[in-house]
């Protein structure tokens, strides 16, 4: 006998929690009572099932997916559990969440093999037995043909809790999907395979669709530390209690903010009120407006920044002149993750994008790895490769020998962009465009930022919110070999029992002390 559900369509008036929704296939009367309450009471419990998740053999991508989709749909997540392929463990978790939450989603354990025990576990949690569902069995038979007859795998996969309901979704063409989502009471059993789970979630959502607004979230990024914002945050929690939920998340790996505050509410009006409260109470200029994508319209932003700065304009002019003279295959950019090379990389990138974006992938980026490097530098270079889509070539050794090796690999190369500035050792008598020394491999050195000061470099980087190595935020002003590089004593703020606190590099007052980071 095919089990069918009771079809209920409910519309809840706005003054009963401002929520309206359509629901079908509910078999338990207590669910209606739950849904007639406030939107914030519509809660979800998620149970991720699988030994492979707990052992780390399989990466869990379903949890992040469900978190995003449930929040986007306005469903509050009460709890997420990860349990093994064990009937009692699954049954206990599902039973508990089924009583506490409006709806429960399980993921995994609904296949035909011995370790697929979700149907049996849910049946136990609901005090039911497993029965062969005729509609489900016939679906497998139609798909597999005669191979399905008396096949224990098909029989197992067709055996579901007695009161279960089958929900059939549709594909992008409007055709009914062959294999349904199985539901018992308020428990929706989703597959574990990510692509199939996503289709099953669409079926769940179409049969359990909330027309209320999703959770309203606004972030505030702060340049001050968490200790400084805590008193203001505590006052806000009391003032907006019951209306806004706050979160505070410090970070030590971001260049442009120290704390992220999150404001969450059902009603956007309350989020806006809380945001205005922080605007009024926080110290001036402590709220940071982050650029969503540093490379979006990068050329236009850079040119606008350099418009009133002659030394920056000169760097652009030198770069554009070189790009006109040489083909992309004849150019190389030196990049070692330092602040000067970071500014240079962005400068050349913007100029190439303005001239011809397709040229960028044909320009090799040379990283000469000399001696022991900082892990932070290595991670930053890896992230830069992704950010700028770099054609990176790494060579271990000193600069001179590495150039020779590079030119053997790229014999067409004629011009090398370098982030050298006046004040660097051996740079005093060089021009923006000059040949290498006689005892070096023959190539033209291009030095666009040659006349930039220390302050110019940081003005360029910070104004455009260009990502840079986090070591500079910890008091390093000039980076070299790890064993020969230290934090700059000129930036020391406090030294308490051996714990030292430094200002970031861009706050160095006397630029002549830049190289105090080098031993």
């Amino acid at each position: 006998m095919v089990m069918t559900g009771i079809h209920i369509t409910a519309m809840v008036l706005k003054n009963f929690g401002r929520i309206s929704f359509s629901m079908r296939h509910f078999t338990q009367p207590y669910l209606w009572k739950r849904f007639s309450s406030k939107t914030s009471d519509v809660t979800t419990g998620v149970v991720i099932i699988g030994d492979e998740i707990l052992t780390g053999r399989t990466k869990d991508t379903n949890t992040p997916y469900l978190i995003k989709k449930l929040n986007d749909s306005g469903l509050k997540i009460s709890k997420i559990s990860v349990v093994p392929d064990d009937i009692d463990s699954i049954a206990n978790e599902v039973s508990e969440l089924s009583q506490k939450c409006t709806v429960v989603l399980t993921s995994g354990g609904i296949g035909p093999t011995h370790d697929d025990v979700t149907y049996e576990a849910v049946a136990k949690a609901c005090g039911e037995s497993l029965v062969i569902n005729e509609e489900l069995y016939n679906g497998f038979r139609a798909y597999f043909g005669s191979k399905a007859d008396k096949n224990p795998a098909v029989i197992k996969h067709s055996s579901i809790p007695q009161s279960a309901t089958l929900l059939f979704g549709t594909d992008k063409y409007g055709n009914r999907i062959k294999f349904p989502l199985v539901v018992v009471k308020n428990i929706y059993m989703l597959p574990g395979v990510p692509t199939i789970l996503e289709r099953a979630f669409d079926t769940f959502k179409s049969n359990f669709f909330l027309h209320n607004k999703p959770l309203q979230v606004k972030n505030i990024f702060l340049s001050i530390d968490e200790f400084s914002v805590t008193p203001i945050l505590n006052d806000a929690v009391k003032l907006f209690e019951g209306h806004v939920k706050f979160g505070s998340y410090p970070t030590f790996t971001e260049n442009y903010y120290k704390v992220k505050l999150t404001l969450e509410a059902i009603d956007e009006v309350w989020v806006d009120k809380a945001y205005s409260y922080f605007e009024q109470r926080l110290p001036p200029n402590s709220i940071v407006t982050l650029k969503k994508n540093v490379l979006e319209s990068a050329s236009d932003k850079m040119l606008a920044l350099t418009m009133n700065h002659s030394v920056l304009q000169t760097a652009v002019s030198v770069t554009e002149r070189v790009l006109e003279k040489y083909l992309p295959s004849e150019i190389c950019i030196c990049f070692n993750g330092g602040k000067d090379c970071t500014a240079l990389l962005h400068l050349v990138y913007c100029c190439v994008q303005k001239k011809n974006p397709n040229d960028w992938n044909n320009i090799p980026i040379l990283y000469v790895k000399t001696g022991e490097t900082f892990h932070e530098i290595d991670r930053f270079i890896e992230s830069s490769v992704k950010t700028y889509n770099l054609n990176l070539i790494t060579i271990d050794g000193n600069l001179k020998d590495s150039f020779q090796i590079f030119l053997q690999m790229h014999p067409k190369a004629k011009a090398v962009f370098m982030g050298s500035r006046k004040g660097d050792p051996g740079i005093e008598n060089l021009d923006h465009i000059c040949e290498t020394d006689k005892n070096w491999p023959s190539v033209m050195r291009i030095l666009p930022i040659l006349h930039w000061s220390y302050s110019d470099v940081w003005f360029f980087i910070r104004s455009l919110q260009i990502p840079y190595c986090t070591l500079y935020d910890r008091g390093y002003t000039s980076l070299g070999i790890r064993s020969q590089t230290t934090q700059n004593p000129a930036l020391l703020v406090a030294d308490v029992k051996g714990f030292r606190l430094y200002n970031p590099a861009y706050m160095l007052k006397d630029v002549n002390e830049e190289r105090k980071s080098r031993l």
Side-chain angles (χ1 to χ4, degrees), residues 87-317:
I87 293 174
D88 290 337
S89 299
I90 300 170
N92 291 337
E93 195 66 27
V94 167
S95 178
E96 178 184 347
L97 291 178
S98 179
Q99 293 301 314
K100 292 181 178 180
C101 302
T102 311
V103 63
V104 178
L105 300 181
T106 70
S107 166
I110 59 173
T113 58
H114 69 285
D115 55 349
D116 294 313
V117 294
T118 299
Y119 288 154
E120 187 174 353
V122 171
K124 182 174 182 177
C126 297
E128 299 183 8
S129 58
L130 293 178
V131 297
I132 298 177
N133 183 283
E134 292 181 12
E135 186 174 6
L136 193 55
Y137 180 82
N138 290 335
F140 285 118
R141 196 175 188 282
Y143 187 81
F144 292 108
S146 60
K147 294 181 181 179
D149 292 337
K150 298 181 180 180
N151 187 321
V154 173
I155 293 173
K156 176 180 174 60
H157 211 352
S158 303
S159 299
I160 60 178
Q162 190 171 7
S163 68
T165 299
L166 306 183
L167 302 184
F168 289 90
T170 56
D171 60 22
K172 61 182 179 180
Y173 303 107
N175 302 315
R176 193 173 92 155
I177 294 175
K178 290 183 174 62
F179 300 109
L181 174 61
V182 179
V183 186
V184 181
K185 297 182 180 179
N186 63 335
I187 306 161
Y188 292 72
M189 289 169 276
L190 281 62
V193 179
T195 53
I196 305 177
L197 175 135
E198 293 174 14
R199 289 201 298 267
F201 185 86
D202 290 339
T203 301
F204 158 74
K205 188 175 178 180
S206 66
N207 284 272
F208 185 90
F209 185 74
L210 295 175
H211 295 283
N212 62 299
K213 294 181 180 179
L215 193 65
Q216 304 299 305
V217 181
K218 186 168 285 189
N219 296 323
I220 303 179
F221 299 95
L222 302 177
S223 60
I224 59 177
D225 59 51
E226 196 171 36
F227 289 95
S228 301
V229 75
T230 295
I232 301 172
L233 178 60
N234 289 342
D235 290 343
V237 170
K238 295 178 182 177
L239 182 63
F240 294 95
E241 184 177 4
H243 298 288
V244 181
K245 182 179 179 181
F246 298 93
S248 177
Y249 307 96
T251 178
F252 303 97
T253 59
E254 295 292 338
N255 299 135
Y256 295 98
Y257 69 92
K258 295 180 180 179
V259 178
K260 180 179 78 171
L261 297 181
T262 59
L263 319 179
E264 301 178 358
I266 299 298
D267 194 332
E268 188 175 10
V269 172
W270 280 107
V271 173
D272 291 339
K273 287 181 179 179
Y275 189 88
S276 297
Y277 173 83
F278 281 105
E279 284 185 312
Q280 296 169 11
R281 292 287 306 278
L282 287 168
N285 303 316
S286 60
I287 296 180
V288 178
T289 302
L290 292 180
K291 293 179 172 62
K292 292 183 179 180
N293 182 356
V294 70
L295 299 187
E296 184 178 356
S297 304
S299 298
D300 294 338
K301 294 173 183 175
M302 184 199 70
L303 293 175
L305 178 70
T306 61
M307 187 175 298
N308 297 318
H309 295 81
S310 58
V311 69
L312 272 61
Q313 282 185 332
T314 299
V316 173
S317 177

Side-chain angles (χ1 to χ4, degrees), residues 9 38 51 67 103 124 187 191 208 278 286 328 352 374 381 470:
T9 301
K38 294 180 180 179
D51 292 340
I67 289 173
V103 63
K124 182 174 182 177
I187 306 161
F208 185 90
F278 281 105
S286 60
V352 172
F374 287 90
I381 290 177
T470 55

Side-chain angles (χ1 to χ4, degrees), residues 263-515:
L263 319 179
E264 301 178 358
I266 299 298
D267 194 332
E268 188 175 10
V269 172
W270 280 107
V271 173
D272 291 339
K273 287 181 179 179
Y275 189 88
S276 297
Y277 173 83
F278 281 105
E279 284 185 312
Q280 296 169 11
R281 292 287 306 278
L282 287 168
N285 303 316
S286 60
I287 296 180
V288 178
T289 302
L290 292 180
K291 293 179 172 62
K292 292 183 179 180
N293 182 356
V294 70
L295 299 187
E296 184 178 356
S297 304
S299 298
D300 294 338
K301 294 173 183 175
M302 184 199 70
L303 293 175
L305 178 70
T306 61
M307 187 175 298
N308 297 318
H309 295 81
S310 58
V311 69
L312 272 61
Q313 282 185 332
T314 299
V316 173
S317 177
V318 169
T319 303
E320 290 179 338
R321 192 160 73 245
V322 171
L323 294 178
E324 287 295 333
K325 182 176 181 179
Y326 298 101
L327 297 173
S329 59
E330 298 174 329
I331 295 171
C332 167
I333 304 172
C334 278
F335 179 60
N336 62 8
K339 64 184 184 304
D340 299 330
C341 285
T342 297
L344 173 73
L345 179 70
H346 192 80
L347 168 71
V348 180
Y349 174 85
C350 291
C351 291
V352 172
Q353 296 301 307
K354 179 186 175 185
K355 180 178 181 291
N356 185 356
N358 294 326
D359 288 345
W360 181 249
N361 291 331
N362 296 319
I363 299 176
I365 313 297
L366 174 60
Y367 171 34
V368 177
K369 196 169 184 178
T370 305
E372 184 185 7
T373 60
F374 287 90
H375 298 307
E376 291 85 350
I377 282 284
D378 292 335
R379 287 197 295 269
F380 173 64
I381 290 177
E382 289 174 4
S383 67
S384 298
V385 169
K386 296 177 181 178
T387 300
Y388 289 93
N389 191 25
L390 300 181
N391 177 18
L392 186 72
I393 298 171
T394 302
I395 300 177
D396 293 320
N398 61 55
L399 190 60
K400 181 179 178 181
D401 292 340
S402 297
F403 263 128
Q404 187 65 55
I405 295 171
F406 173 78
L407 291 174
Q408 291 173 358
M409 297 168 59
H410 296 267
K412 293 182 180 180
K414 298 178 181 179
V416 178
F417 281 94
M418 302 179 70
S420 303
R421 293 187 294 116
K422 291 286 188 182
D424 292 343
I427 304 298
E428 294 80 6
N429 300 317
L430 298 184
D431 295 323
H432 285 112
I433 301 176
C434 56
E435 293 184 24
T436 53
D437 296 338
K438 292 182 179 179
N439 59 338
W440 277 65
S442 180
V443 68
M444 296 300 295
R445 285 179 290 191
I446 314 300
L447 313 175
I449 67 171
L450 179 64
H451 295 293
W452 285 20
S453 67
Y454 179 86
S455 300
D456 291 331
V457 173
W458 282 114
F459 170 76
F460 184 81
I461 290 175
R462 297 282 300 178
S463 296
L464 297 174
Q465 287 191 5
I466 301 168
Y468 56 86
C469 179
T470 55
L471 288 172
Y472 291 111
D473 290 326
R474 289 155 45 188
Y476 293 85
T477 53
S478 180
L479 300 179
I481 298 174
R482 185 174 183 176
S483 59
Q484 299 177 13
T485 307
T486 185
Q487 290 157 299
N488 196 320
L491 291 172
L492 181 65
V493 177
D495 186 350
V496 181
K497 295 182 179 180
F499 176 78
R500 296 177 179 178
L501 179 65
Y502 292 83
N503 275 327
Y506 54 85
M507 292 183 65
L508 185 67
K509 295 180 180 179
D510 185 353
V511 298
N512 294 317
E513 296 182 319
E514 172 188 355
R515 296 190 70 82

